[in-house]
Amino acid sequence: MKEHYYVALDIGSSSVKVVVGEKFHNGVNVIGTGQTFTDGVSKGMINDFDQAKNAITDTIKKAKIASGVDIDEVFVKIPIADTHIHFTEDAIRFGGEATEITGEHIEELLENVRMNDSAGQYETVSVYPVSFVVDSLHEVNDPKDMIAEESLAVKAGVVSANRTLLINIVKCVEAAGLTILDVYSDAVNYQHVLTDAEIELGAVVIDMGLDLTQFAYYERGSLKYANSVGIAGRDITLDLVDEFNTSYDEADQAKEQYGHAFFDLASDEEKMMLAQNDSGQPAEVTSKDLADVIELVVEDAFMAVFEDLAKNGINNVQGGFVLTGGSANIRGIKELMQDLVAEKVRVHIPNQMGARKPEFTSAISVLSSGIMFDELLEYVTIDNYDDYPETDSQNAVNDDQEAQPANFFTGLFAKRKEENELQVNRDEDSYEDDYNYPDEDSVEESQADEDAADDEYEDYADDDAEIRSERPEQEPKEQGDLGTKFKKIFKNLFE
Ligand code: ATP
Ligand code: MG
């Protein structure tokens, strides 16, 4: 059996993180990680293209060495900054013909939602199902293998984000020589840190990083709301700089080694010397002194989160609050939060060996999103086309695409559809071991609809579809009728 690796890239304001992992039972097994601190990113946005690109390249190198996996394809996260969520419904109809629902139907539905959704400077990033309704009757989370005669409908959430933010992240990742398989908003990713009970009852994940405190609210199994506030780790350090008349680096180090977020519990016996900006004499400072400053900043961030939640009608968080991100390392953060709210509070630290730091939460949950969508849509991924064949159907893709409203992801999406034309199938019952690879100069077509599964989800960066897992030694399946497959997809897309 061949391993099927997932690689996640988190371009954070403080550091770029890469996690290489694989699906393991119901979770993720981490194989290797990389992390590079950078000044190229600020408030979750690329602000120095070259620095950010170099940090990405370096981090990928580190992750390659750590994992022993060759990395050229990644899942990328985008932060919850200038992000919107709304809900919509869509359906496909079967006209009385008994139809077994496959991942391909689900893909069609979600892509219909994506294509129909375009809003000014915002870009649809993630479309996630809240529930499916089979024949207007049965509401289920995953309708695969069910039989429908009339319709399959989806109630879907749509996460859209600032277009500039997104384009620059995508460009930078491509410039680092990587192919993007998909982009997921952290709003979608954080669901993976919650337990079933939390996500059902209603819980808030708060990721406090360097520049952003991102938060997302989930209830009855899915994402309901997400936003971010601009008070985070940098503000803590800057306030320490002001208060103790020291340098940024000195204050940062003091924060990370001796910092405490809850004044009542901080020790006045833990002491350190802080170099002073305007004197050769360092000053003695205790943990309690630090806590006096830190508590105020962290409380400000939390209050801003609560205010925003309340403004959006989220007053009752029965499943509790889950704190994560680099700044959740700070001692006393849980106690401070617990002092502010009646609900349960916990800090989430990933439990995977080699990645047991809350700053890796986002990257690891990107992997979980990749696995989740792969399973829902029955994706398999694929293969090299060094010489991408020009076909009539590709031209038709482009023609059709031109009729669509301008949308950054429209191009990406159409490209993915082209790749789907060149897809390989997998058999029904094996997930990792059954990819089919077409010859480089031939075009593979799906088999009968029942076992067809679309492959490349996002692969627009490069004209060549790249290999995502190593090529198993398998015979390609028989070639099918590309035109038929093509029309089938686009009938559902554009009508
Ligand atoms: P952002 O999410 O804001 O774009 P990022 O994802 O790069 O940035 P993280 O890596 O999650 O941010 O967190 C970085 C922050 O965590 C920094 O402010 C750093 O000082 C802080 N941090 C890391 N370790 C500790 C610690 N032990 N105590 C306090 N703060 C810490
Ligand atoms: Mg972050």
Side-chain angles (χ1 to χ4, degrees), residues 474-486:
Q474 263 194 356
E475 290 301 313
K477 280 191 180 170
E478 275 177 31
Q479 211 172 307
D481 177 0
L482 183 67
T484 316
K485 168 77 177 167
F486 171 75

Side-chain angles (χ1 to χ4, degrees), residues 61 123 181 191 212 231 289 429 447 457 493:
K61 255 188 226 154
E123 204 58 63
L181 290 171
Q191 66 184 287
L212 296 175
I231 310 171
D289 296 331
D429 49 11
Q447 300 281 297
Y457 190 43
L493 273 179

Side-chain angles (χ1 to χ4, degrees), residues 12-15 17 209-212 233 252 255-256 326-327 329 359:
S13 309
S14 161
S15 65
K17 296 137 193 119
L210 176 71
D211 282 340
L212 296 175
D252 218 33
K255 173 185 81 172
E256 293 187 8
S327 294
N329 277 302
E359 49 269 48

Side-chain angles (χ1 to χ4, degrees), residues 137-407:
L137 214 60
H138 313 284
E139 190 156 350
V140 294
N141 290 332
D142 185 348
K144 279 201 297 290
D145 302 329
M146 291 180 76
I147 304 290
E149 290 192 343
E150 297 306 328
S151 64
L152 174 67
V154 67
K155 294 178 184 169
V158 179
V159 183
S160 50
N162 181 292
R163 172 176 298 186
T164 313
L165 166 84
L166 188 61
I167 288 179
N168 285 321
I169 287 176
V170 168
K171 274 190 73 174
C172 197
V173 175
E174 284 176 10
L178 298 163
T179 298
I180 298 174
L181 290 171
D182 206 346
V183 181
Y184 301 123
S185 166
D186 269 342
V188 167
N189 299 328
Y190 292 146
Q191 66 184 287
H192 303 293
V193 313
L194 297 176
T195 63
D196 291 349
E198 286 168 341
I199 203 168
E200 212 41 53
L201 286 169
V204 176
V205 178
I206 302 178
D207 176 331
M208 190 180 277
L210 176 71
D211 282 340
L212 296 175
T213 294
Q214 309 180 63
F215 53 101
Y217 175 67
Y218 305 82
E219 197 196 15
R220 276 174 285 126
S222 63
L223 172 67
K224 294 291 181 299
Y225 178 74
N227 205 349
S228 63
V229 296
I231 310 171
R234 192 193 299 276
D235 301 278
I236 301 175
T237 306
L238 286 174
D239 277 20
L240 293 173
V241 166
D242 275 357
E243 181 65 27
F244 299 108
N245 186 33
T246 190
S247 70
Y248 186 92
D249 287 350
E250 189 94 350
D252 218 33
Q253 208 183 340
K255 173 185 81 172
E256 293 187 8
Q257 277 183 17
Y258 301 100
H260 206 293
F262 196 49
F263 182 80
D264 291 353
L265 292 180
S267 159
D268 49 14
E269 280 163 23
E270 241 181 88
K271 295 184 173 122
M272 78 224 68
M273 302 305 286
L274 279 185
Q276 298 295 286
N277 283 335
D278 49 11
S279 113
Q281 278 299 96
E284 189 182 89
V285 173
T286 68
S287 262
K288 214 169 183 70
D289 296 331
L290 295 179
D292 204 14
V293 174
I294 296 170
E295 181 177 289
L296 283 179
V297 186
V298 178
E299 196 174 300
D300 272 358
F302 287 160
M303 294 315 277
V305 171
F306 298 151
E307 244 171 63
D308 186 81
L309 289 172
K311 217 167 68 193
N312 286 280
I314 301 159
N315 298 304
N316 192 356
V317 182
Q318 286 189 36
F321 291 85
V322 178
L323 308 175
T324 198
S327 294
N329 277 302
I330 203 157
R331 291 180 295 171
I333 195 163
K334 178 180 162 204
E335 289 77 5
L336 173 64
M337 179 61 124
Q338 195 65 82
D339 198 47
L340 300 172
V341 299
E343 289 85 352
K344 198 183 75 175
V345 178
R346 69 178 175 92
V347 171
H348 176 81
I349 300 173
N351 64 7
Q352 287 91 346
M353 222 181 9
R356 288 185 179 140
K357 298 173 180 180
E359 49 269 48
F360 274 106
T361 294
S362 170
I364 291 173
S365 45
V366 172
L367 293 186
S368 301
S369 289
I371 293 167
M372 178 183 80
F373 280 104
D374 268 8
E375 292 190 340
L376 182 68
L377 304 177
E378 297 187 294
Y379 280 160
V380 283
T381 21
I382 324 258
D383 196 29
N384 287 325
Y385 291 94
D386 288 339
D387 295 311
Y388 196 78
E390 265 287 298
T391 64
D392 287 347
S393 42
Q394 281 178 36
N395 298 335
V397 170
N398 293 333
D399 288 344
D400 273 349
Q401 187 199 330
E402 275 164 23
Q404 291 300 306
N407 174 322

